[in-house]
Amino acid sequence: MDFEIVNGPIEALETDCVVVGVEAEGKPAPTAAALDKAASGYIQELIESGDITGKAGEQQMLFKVPGIKAKRVLVLGLGKADERKDRHYRKLVGGIAGTLKKAGVSSAVVALDGLASEQQDTYRQTRQLVEWASEELYQYDITKSKKADPIKLETLSILLSEDETELGEGALLDGAAIANGVSSAREVANLPGNICTPSYLAERAIGLAETFESISVEILDEAQMEELGMGALLSVGRGSAQPSRLIVMQYKGGNEDEKPHALVGKGITFDTGGISLKPGAEMDEMKFDMGGAASVLGTMEAVAEMQLPLNVVGVIAAAENMPGSKATKPGDIVTTLSGQTVEILNTDAEGRLVLCDALTYVGRFQPQSVIDIATLTGACIIALGHQASGLLSNNDELADALLDAGEYAADRAWQLPLWDEFQEQLDSNFADIANIGGRPAGTITAACFLARFTKEYRWAHLDIAGVAWKSGKAKGATGRCVPLLSQYLLDLAEQKESAEQG
Ligand code: BES
Ligand code: MN
Ligand code: ZN
């Protein structure tokens, strides 16, 4: 589906459907009022008869409205202006996309006025419409023999004034790039563990490098990782027939000598818990344990599509955690790439084991910042539920940049403390460090473990256990944190450009 910006009087738009809004207490937004005028009070009549009230979420599809070129008019109830937030706008956009899909129209024009909060800028509002309409229209069918009906909607246009058009067009490009990144992340994360293996993740990265000239990729196999001394990462895949992989992507949009920003994703393509086996209920959802890896792939794609003037390294630590006869056992001690030894007291705390070696590995790029993204702890779901990603960092400026990016991109994170006092929970009698810290503050002690490997650079950790996928009837991957990460990099690119302009 294509997005475009259109101008002009609403009554003159030739399209299958125009979408306008009416506020609470039946007050038409400006574009709805203009349409009403062209239609000689047709909408006003429906307001007066009580068929249109403006209640939030209300939808009325009108046909053959007189005095206008469009074939249909979809009137949305906007609710009260002062109650309008991202959450409401997101629901409105989802509702519009859902209705247009069901109506089977091939083109539509949305008038944005009144839909989002009044404080909202045109760029953000336009971009969100693209991202959220795309989110609603995503449908998974790769592993179904009966394919989903293709979406008929070919062009979704946004009506803006002429002086807002340029801004709007920039928003469309960014929005489409991020939306594509989110869809790709969802698609790869939704695949079952018997298709999406560590080697499959490597294939996806190779695919990106084939699509974008600005991306190159290197895949390290187990022998190469052995040679380097990645004992922690390798210990996780020991019980699996699927070989582990370290996937290293490089996006070059900045100068040759410019230090990169690094993204490191947890890519456990299935987490049984290993010998510390998980209970059976809902274990299928552990195919989503590569959600961090999916968000790295999706963000690399978005960044390449936006052609950001930065260098970005994307690393995926990919392994399958299985309880085979060669599997790591509780009490086993491994030596990490950093030289530190780890006593593996619980083989289900495997994410930190693959990540710690990948985090040491990215040090070789002398990165300006490193962000790891991981479905790391069930404790994060208890702490923050399914709304916010957990954020922990060794650098407050970096943490603030990520919190702001998450807020702007409506993909929020919430910071937890990374105090040294928590480190004691990881003491081991037999190695430098244990891989678990007991029940209290499970998200923090997991981050404390990673912090032992990230002392050389500015680092932040995003625990996406609660947000990477939905359970129940709507079971499926969300593509989070692609919007947050893309926004963080967009912000960096903007800062860099304004610094260069002096
Ligand atoms: N992938 C899981 C974390 C997880 C669990 C994410 C449920 C989403 C839903 C991770 O590898 C894990 O098993 N963590 C353990 C750590 C514990 C053994 C210290 C956990 O959270 O129970
Ligand atoms: Mn686990
Ligand atoms: Zn896991």
Side-chain angles (χ1 to χ4, degrees):
M1 188 180 52
D2 293 327
F3 292 92
E4 37 175 77
I5 304 291
V6 293
N7 311 129
I10 183 95
E11 64 273 16
L13 299 172
E14 289 189 42
T15 172
D16 285 350
C17 186
V18 290
V19 183
V20 296
V22 171
E23 309 216 3
E25 272 111 52
K27 181 172 166 272
T31 311
L35 187 141
D36 185 55
K37 202 167 160 214
S40 321
Y42 189 93
I43 308 264
Q44 195 57 42
E45 224 173 278
L46 292 170
I47 292 171
E48 274 154 31
S49 66
D51 291 293
I52 292 174
T53 68
K55 230 178 74 197
E58 181 185 79
Q59 291 193 356
Q60 285 288 2
M61 186 70 95
L62 310 177
F63 301 88
K64 298 195 173 169
V65 175
I68 67 161
K69 288 261 168 67
K71 291 190 192 134
R72 299 170 187 75
V73 176
L74 177 61
V75 184
L76 295 176
L78 302 176
K80 295 202 181 84
D82 55 350
E83 287 173 6
R84 227 163 286 146
K85 299 212 171 79
D86 281 353
R87 183 162 68 93
H88 302 95
Y89 183 42
R90 193 170 195 144
K91 278 192 192 149
L92 280 176
V93 171
I96 296 170
T99 299
L100 294 175
K101 175 176 152 186
K102 265 196 236 123
V105 299
S106 64
S107 64
V109 180
V110 181
L112 284 179
D113 54 306
L115 264 60
S117 109
E118 277 154 23
Q119 292 93 333
Q120 170 98 275
D121 59 272
T122 302
Y123 168 85
R124 183 167 186 254
Q125 212 175 323
T126 307
R127 200 178 98 188
Q128 287 181 336
L129 186 124
V130 174
E131 288 180 43
W132 295 343
S134 306
E135 173 180 54
E136 178 68 30
L137 298 177
Y138 169 84
Q139 33 195 25
Y140 176 90
D141 64 9
I142 313 178
T143 45
K144 293 188 178 188
S145 64
K146 191 172 173 296
K147 299 298 168 197
D149 293 333
I151 291 179
K152 296 217 179 74
L153 190 60
E154 280 165 13
T155 318
L156 186 57
S157 307
I158 296 158
L159 179 66
L160 292 178
S161 66
E162 257 162 60
D163 51 337
E164 287 175 319
T165 298
E166 206 184 313
L167 192 64
E169 277 167 354
L172 290 192
L173 291 177
D174 293 349
I178 296 170
N180 287 342
V182 168
S183 295
S184 303
R186 292 172 77 180
E187 196 80 338
V188 65
N190 280 333
L191 288 172
N194 61 332
I195 295 177
C196 183
T197 59
S199 319
Y200 180 83
L201 286 178
E203 290 305 321
R204 295 293 288 226
I206 291 166
L208 272 183
E210 282 166 1
T211 310
F212 296 101
E213 222 172 290
S214 53
I215 296 182
S216 59
V217 63
E218 192 189 352
I219 313 293
L220 273 63
D221 64 17
E222 291 190 336
Q224 289 166 298
M225 289 191 275
E226 198 79 63
E227 181 73 29
L228 284 167
M230 303 183 111
L233 194 156
L234 288 167
S235 74
V236 174
R238 283 266 136 76
S240 167
Q242 294 293 340
S244 304
R245 293 284 183 263
L246 188 78
I247 302 163
V248 186
M249 291 167 275
Q250 291 197 60
Y251 165 78
K252 290 237 161 76
N255 298 328
E256 194 59 46
D257 58 345
E258 201 175 298
K259 300 285 181 267
H261 294 273
L263 307 175
V264 179
K266 169 176 172 183
I268 299 297
T269 57
F270 197 84
D271 182 12
T272 65
I275 297 299
S276 313
L277 195 64
K278 285 183 180 296
E282 279 110 52
M283 206 209 273
D284 66 290
E285 295 188 3
M286 282 299 119
K287 73 174 185 178
F288 296 119
D289 210 17
M290 35 58 73
S295 75
V296 172
L297 286 168
T299 305
M300 295 302 283
E301 181 180 345
V303 164
E305 217 174 297
M306 292 189 283
Q307 302 182 328
L308 295 187
L310 302 168
N311 293 333
V312 182
V313 174
V315 173
I316 292 171
E320 186 184 61
N321 189 19
M322 294 282 281
S325 65
K326 292 184 183 150
T328 297
K329 305 167 292 297
D332 283 1
I333 293 176
V334 296
T335 302
T336 64
L337 178 58
S338 73
Q340 300 176 82
T341 59
V342 177
E343 184 182 16
I344 301 176
L345 289 172
N346 189 321
T347 63
D348 198 11
E350 84 297 339
R352 60 199 80 181
L353 295 173
V354 296
L355 285 172
C356 71
D357 280 346
L359 285 166
T360 302
Y361 185 86
V362 295
R364 67 172 58 202
F365 297 104
Q366 297 170 281
Q368 296 190 49
S369 70
V370 178
I371 303 161
D372 78 76
I373 311 96
T375 49
L376 205 62
T377 62
C380 195
I381 311 176
I382 305 302
L384 297 174
H386 301 290
Q387 305 306 324
S389 302
L391 170 69
L392 298 104
S393 178
N394 63 10
N395 182 292
D396 283 337
E397 200 192 342
L398 175 61
D400 288 343
L402 289 166
L403 290 171
D404 289 348
E407 193 68 49
Y408 190 86
D411 180 9
R412 288 184 292 199
W414 195 257
Q415 194 173 3
L416 298 172
L418 192 66
W419 298 321
D420 284 339
E421 282 79 351
F422 289 106
Q423 286 288 356
E424 291 164 22
Q425 286 177 241
L426 295 171
D427 287 350
S428 159
N429 289 356
F430 304 105
D432 298 344
I433 178 174
N435 80 325
I436 52 169
R439 274 172 60 80
T443 302
I444 297 175
T445 54
C448 281
F449 182 93
L450 299 176
R452 306 246 185 161
F453 302 85
T454 60
K455 296 204 170 113
E456 308 298 315
Y457 46 67
R458 297 163 77 229
W459 159 77
H461 161 65
L462 286 164
D463 193 330
I464 59 168
V467 301
W469 73 90
K470 292 190 172 125
S471 305
K473 191 111 186 67
K475 195 193 289 179
T478 60
R480 288 181 71 175
C481 299
V482 173
L484 183 158
L485 296 168
S486 302
Q487 186 62 44
Y488 168 68
L489 295 166
L490 261 169
D491 290 344
L492 288 174
E494 195 165 299
Q495 282 160 24
K496 195 183 149 196
E497 275 170 346
S498 61
E500 278 166 4
Q501 280 158 19

